[in-house]
Amino acid sequence: MQSRWSDADAKAAIETYAAQGHGADMALRVYTTRLLGGDPALVLHGGGNTSVKTAARDIFGDEIDVLCVKGSGWDMAKIEPPGLPAVRLEPIKRLYQLEKLSDEDMVNVQRLNLLDSAAPNPSVETLFHAFLPHKFVDHTHANAVVALTDQPDGEALAREVYDGRCVILPYIMPGFALAKAMKTAFDQHPKVEGIVLLKHGIFSMGESAREAYERMIALVTLAEQRLARNRRNVFVPAKLPAALAPPAEVAPILRGLAAEPLDARDGVFRRMVLAFRSSPAILNFVNGEELARYSQAGTVTPDHVIRTKPKPLIVPAPEGGRLDAFKAAAKAMLEAYARDYRAYYERNNTRFGGKKKPLDPIPRLVLVPGLGLFAMGASAKDAAVAGDLAECMVDVVTAAEAIGRFQPVGEADLFDVEYWSLEQAKLGKGTEKPLQRQVAVITGGGSGIGAATAAAFAREGAEVAVLDRDEAAAKAVAARIGGFSAACDVTDAGSVRRAFDAVALRFGGVDIAVSNAGAAWQGRIGDVDEKVLRRSFELNFFGHQNVAQNAVRLMRAQGTGGCLLFNVSKQAVNPGKDFGPYGLPKAALLFLLRQYALDHGAEGIRSNGVNADRVRTGLLTDEMVKSRSAARGVSEHDYMAGNLLKREVKADDVAQAFVSLALANKTTGAVLTVDGGNIEAALR
Ligand code: ZN
């Protein structure tokens, strides 16, 4: 492992933070915290922390000793000074004298001693930062250190590698007892550079930011060097079916199985968002003959458990063309997983007098031999975090097995962390938004009504896939709303299939499809070129059919219902003069949405549409508005608001109509008009 310390960068950090009123201690603390946080082999998603002991002034201007320690919820890679809240050092240090300290009292004392009452909670590992005398303390869950110590003889290996340079401590759960043990052990060996916590991670200490950082790099490098010696090749591959089903077809099956029916009869599910990961390292891991042993031993470092559960689910390799058999086997294995998880909960909860409330028994990682792995969570963000931790697991377990046998902490220790209120608090559970856990695909999402609809679904918590023929436009909208994008020409069945498969790999499937892409052609029907009419039918009818068929394909694989939404048009019921080429396929589209409602209602798939009129978009350009209002001798506003309510219809009004139809769980075969009132276009 290379040190990334740079004198020039350190100096720049001091200058940058001096301009914001921070001293060199804080500037360098931020600088090396970021260096550590930026390396996934050291720190992942909140798994680590740093501190500096410095001086601050209180409200009276008196100088006091403080500990600035990483606050809960901050990512080390992007830390800023507010992410290192200051607590008064002396009262925290004095806690060492206590015999016992409850978690509640520990959190309370830490919060009481914050200099800023609005600061985030200091890390759950704050106490040992305070108890150790060094100015700078760094803590990581370095892959190499956990691979070295997650072994039956992990302690002996650690002693061999760190003889004299580090104190070696057995695993103790974070909190008061561990902090006390660390301080006591350190006092007996005051010359050490670091402390190794077996099966958890490593601390390095120093009098300067650079010293603590360079020691971390040097100590982790020692572990890496030991892991590189006497390696054997792992893993021996298991026999796989000759032909495997593609992951895009496996994803919706797993997503459907993992959805918890809250009220299945009413189509209410607690869904998961999935993320697919595969790489040579992942395939080597999931294809191993002994996968059921090394993948089920536990998490590589205990705090991963809150995001990955104690163990992943293993499903069989999905044979191509036999997905029904795969689904049945995966269902049985998921049920067995849930039974095992509940039994683990019951077994361990007795130690707490039955006081811990059960967490859901759904896995967060699914290992699929032959394909890779799926990570799951309540959002795409959560799934991505679980996916990163899964890749870390693959690296650590592979390294551990290459020199010995992977053996992390046992289930009792994992349970203590998984059900520790201070760990659960990191997940920050709030109320979920109405469409959270649902995946919405919007075609023609790169502009106009489509872009507004994509934004509206994202606001309601849905994971959004923006599809558009114009890939750059789709990408720009997705970047704005934090969604996914793919190129998609809805008139090309292959292009639609590829786009939906990409969505299945990115999120696991689809729950809502807004079939919005369209364009207007004109021509007097008695004269119009047949080619024009056919082109319009390709886009304004067959395009919708391509999208709906692919959506239904994924929805049926999930088995949790779904929602089709079509951008119809008032033209479907109220033809405009010379607008036959546009209105005819739109009239057929109105029929199509009803056909879907009829044919797929029994599968819980709803089909609804929106009839909008006179919205300023790509179909009705500023130029057209200008010339038409001029032709009628009215202002642009009066032209646009030429309806019963005298209100101009905006793209966002149409977007809101799509959202309300997505939420209308008992509505299918319906069309909602968004036209400011147009009695000629009213449905009968
Ligand atoms: Zn830790």
Side-chain angles (χ1 to χ4, degrees):
M1 178 161 282
Q2 294 291 317
S3 165
R4 295 194 293 130
W5 176 275
S6 140
D7 285 334
D9 290 351
K11 195 164 159 262
I14 291 174
E15 282 163 12
T16 303
Y17 290 108
Q20 298 174 20
H22 297 287
D25 284 350
M26 176 56 81
L28 293 173
R29 181 65 287 175
V30 168
Y31 171 57
T32 60
T33 300
R34 286 178 167 222
L35 287 184
L36 295 169
D39 187 341
L42 288 174
V43 167
L44 270 181
H45 301 298
N49 38 66
T50 58
S51 67
V52 59
K53 297 178 184 74
T54 184
R57 287 194 189 279
D58 66 10
I59 192 83
F60 304 105
D62 296 337
E63 195 173 276
I64 44 170
D65 290 336
V66 294
L67 173 76
C68 296
V69 61
K70 200 197 87 165
S72 245
W74 276 83
D75 179 350
M76 281 171 65
K78 296 178 194 141
I79 203 133
E80 289 289 350
L84 290 153
V87 285
R88 287 167 195 273
L89 184 57
E90 286 314 314
I92 304 292
K93 267 169 73 175
R94 227 186 119 190
L95 294 172
Y96 178 68
Q97 296 164 14
L98 296 175
E99 280 302 312
K100 270 187 174 162
L101 179 67
S102 71
D103 294 338
E104 293 74 18
D105 287 342
M106 179 178 85
V107 172
N108 191 44
V109 172
Q110 287 173 188
R111 280 214 71 81
L112 278 173
N113 284 287
L114 283 167
L115 261 57
D116 174 358
S117 65
N121 271 340
S123 160
V124 299
E125 290 171 334
T126 291
L127 291 189
F128 35 67
H129 286 274
F131 292 173
L132 294 172
H134 309 79
K135 191 171 174 70
F136 287 85
V137 178
D138 295 5
H139 169 46
T140 71
H141 299 161
N143 286 3
V145 174
V146 288
L148 184 78
T149 64
D150 278 343
Q151 301 276 347
D153 58 347
E155 182 168 358
L157 283 164
R159 290 199 189 289
E160 172 199 324
V161 170
Y162 294 116
D163 186 34
R165 291 182 73 171
C166 289
V167 173
I168 314 293
L169 277 183
Y171 176 78
I172 304 174
M173 182 176 161
F176 183 64
L178 173 60
K180 258 193 103 136
M182 282 177 62
K183 162 77 171 151
T184 306
F186 173 78
D187 285 347
Q188 289 160 11
H189 307 278
K191 295 249 151 52
V192 294
E193 300 160 45
I195 299 176
V196 172
L197 304 181
L198 297 175
K199 302 174 189 288
H200 172 149
I202 183 167
F203 283 75
S204 63
M205 298 85 76
E207 282 317 304
S208 68
R210 180 170 188 179
E211 186 178 47
Y213 171 75
E214 299 279 15
R215 282 176 168 178
M216 175 65 71
I217 301 303
L219 295 172
V220 173
T221 302
L222 290 177
E224 286 178 339
Q225 286 165 349
R226 178 60 186 82
L227 290 169
R229 282 204 336 255
N230 304 329
R231 280 175 65 92
R232 49 169 203 273
N233 268 341
V234 287
F235 301 98
V236 178
K239 204 170 152 35
L240 293 172
L244 292 161
E249 288 183 21
V250 170
I253 294 173
L254 291 176
R255 181 163 185 257
L257 292 175
E260 275 185 288
L262 299 181
D263 187 345
R265 269 201 300 196
D266 270 2
V268 183
F269 294 89
R270 195 164 175 274
R271 296 170 171 90
M272 289 296 218
V273 180
L274 271 59
F276 178 66
R277 302 275 174 109
S278 195
S279 69
I282 292 173
L283 285 170
N284 181 51
F285 181 90
V286 298
N287 292 351
E289 209 172 55
E290 289 188 77
L291 179 66
R293 175 182 62 78
Y294 56 74
S295 75
Q296 303 292 293
T299 61
V300 300
T301 183
D303 85 341
H304 288 190
V305 72
I306 57 166
R307 298 177 182 279
T308 65
K309 297 274 177 192
K311 48 182 89 167
L313 166 69
I314 306 173
V315 295
E319 201 176 333
R322 299 198 58 220
L323 280 171
D324 284 347
F326 169 78
K327 185 174 181 175
K331 184 169 189 282
M333 284 167 155
L334 189 81
E335 285 164 2
Y337 182 98
R339 275 197 305 277
D340 282 357
Y341 184 83
R342 288 198 190 94
Y344 148 85
Y345 161 76
E346 295 293 345
R347 254 192 325 272
N348 288 285
N349 197 22
T350 54
R351 289 187 287 118
F352 296 90
K355 284 198 188 114
K356 301 279 184 189
K357 293 237 165 2
L359 298 166
D360 74 75
I362 310 297
R364 296 298 186 271
L365 300 175
V366 185
L367 309 180
V368 191
L371 297 189
L373 65 87
F374 289 92
M376 307 201 273
S379 63
K381 208 174 143 215
D382 286 355
V385 170
D388 290 349
L389 297 183
E391 294 203 41
C392 169
M393 167 190 77
V394 166
D395 289 347
V396 169
V397 176
T398 304
E401 289 274 319
I403 63 153
R405 196 160 70 89
F406 174 62
Q407 191 187 84
V409 301
E411 77 160 36
D413 288 322
L414 279 183
F415 183 87
D416 291 353
V417 172
E418 186 180 7
Y419 282 82
W420 190 22
S421 57
L422 302 188
E423 282 289 335
Q424 284 297 326
K426 289 183 187 171
L427 300 177
K429 285 203 181 90
T431 30
E432 293 192 352
K433 290 182 175 175
L435 291 176
Q436 190 168 339
R437 298 169 177 270
Q438 300 217 36
V439 178
V441 172
I442 290 112
T443 69
S447 62
I449 290 171
T453 303
F457 276 89
R459 280 198 299 274
E460 299 299 321
E463 304 298 342
V464 176
V466 183
L467 308 188
D468 203 292
R469 203 174 46 172
D470 181 344
E471 195 174 355
K475 209 170 171 181
V477 172
R480 226 167 30 238
I481 63 170
F484 170 73
S485 67
C488 179
D489 174 358
V490 297
T491 63
D492 173 351
S495 167
V496 178
R497 168 108 198 185
R498 283 191 295 280
F500 273 79
D501 283 352
V503 175
L505 290 182
R506 182 67 173 74
F507 296 129
V510 62
D511 305 295
I512 300 158
V514 185
S515 189
N516 164 70
W521 278 272
Q522 296 187 44
R524 193 181 305 172
I525 200 64
D527 314 324
V528 73
D529 189 335
E530 184 188 320
K531 277 192 201 131
V532 171
L533 197 53
R534 285 188 187 276
R535 271 218 335 255
S536 182
F537 262 90
E538 279 302 329
L539 177 60
N540 293 315
F541 177 76
F542 287 105
H544 292 282
Q545 167 66 351
N546 286 337
V547 168
Q549 269 196 338
N550 273 282
V552 165
R553 173 173 65 83
L554 292 177
M555 288 169 185
R556 294 172 84 182
Q558 291 169 164
T560 51
C563 173
L564 302 175
L565 293 167
F566 297 93
N567 188 349
V568 189
S569 163
K570 74 112 195 173
Q571 293 291 332
V573 290
N574 176 217
K577 193 168 181 301
D578 296 340
F579 260 107
Y582 183 56
L584 284 161
K586 287 291 190 181
L589 174 61
L590 177 61
F591 200 93
L592 184 78
L593 88 82
R594 289 174 172 166
Q595 198 68 49
Y596 271 100
L598 180 63
D599 290 357
H600 294 282
E603 293 163 317
I605 297 171
R606 301 184 291 114
S607 174
N608 296 294
V610 170
N611 274 5
D613 188 24
R614 210 167 285 185
V615 186
R616 208 187 280 254
T617 64
L619 300 193
L620 180 60
T621 61
D622 290 343
E623 285 298 296
M624 287 156 77
V625 172
K626 191 167 284 181
S627 70
R628 288 183 195 177
S629 51
R632 293 179 198 198
V634 296
S635 72
E636 284 190 26
H637 175 267
D638 284 352
Y639 171 71
M640 289 304 293
N643 53 45
L644 299 177
L645 293 169
K646 307 283 177 221
R647 292 174 189 164
E648 179 178 344
V649 179
K650 309 265 175 66
D652 200 47
D653 299 316
V654 185
Q656 287 308 321
F658 281 126
V659 167
S660 47
L661 284 168
L663 291 168
N665 199 32
K666 307 288 170 73
T667 299
T668 192
V671 175
L672 192 53
T673 52
V674 187
D675 56 9
N678 175 359
I679 213 67
E680 287 80 21
L683 287 167
R684 69 197 94 197

